[in-house]
Amino acid sequence: NKNTNSIINLFKFLRKLQIISNYYSVSINKNIPVFGGLGGGTGNAASILKVLLKGKISKSLLNKAESIIGTDLRLFFCNQGFLSNLKNITYFRKKKLFFILVKPNIRCSTKEIYSKVRKYSKKQLLSQNKINTKNKFINVISQENNDLQSIVEKKYPIIKKLLTDIKVEKGCYLSRMSGSGSVCYGLFNNEDNAKKALSKIKKRYPKFWFSLAKTV
């Protein structure tokens, strides 16, 4: 939306705090789909925030910015980690992981999906020694789940079918939906198996969006 989006909201927020006074023209080249549950809008705002503040942001400002942009904003200021809840990040040592990403032709509304959550599952407390190796890390996340996934699967049965098709591919540790959807992903044991799986899924769902990804 050109009139109200994460970037416009960020600029208004920064001017209100008198952190900036200038006005800017911003062009966005989207490399990931909208309504995918990949944090694209938040990522756009985070990139601009890093440039304007030269990569330095206080915890206080980050907390305030999150109320305007989204609770996943802090993720874009860490190397590798995940939100263990809406406020805290669990960090882990860099691991080389390979994924395939597939987005059906579905536009999931984050607000709508979250509004249907009645109860969140209890998350386990993680210490570094539980995730300090690749195998330990994969074992832990394999036991976790996305509380929003069943809600989206009920509304869009194709999500469940797609996740099942990804999971049965050779070398796939797990398949899951990203965020509030609708991108589905599979975590694979190596890049070769991920590429082969992606090729098969493309033939099965030729009209969907696809990407091969790895941790950086």
Side-chain angles (χ1 to χ4, degrees), residues 168-185:
V168 298
E169 290 299 326
K170 182 180 178 180
C172 184
Y173 291 118
L174 61 92
S175 63
R176 202 163 287 161
M177 186 184 76
S178 178
S180 57
S182 62
V183 166
C184 297
Y185 66 89

Side-chain angles (χ1 to χ4, degrees), residues 35-36 41 45 51 151 163-164 183:
F35 294 98
V51 171
I151 296 172
L163 288 169
T164 299
V183 166

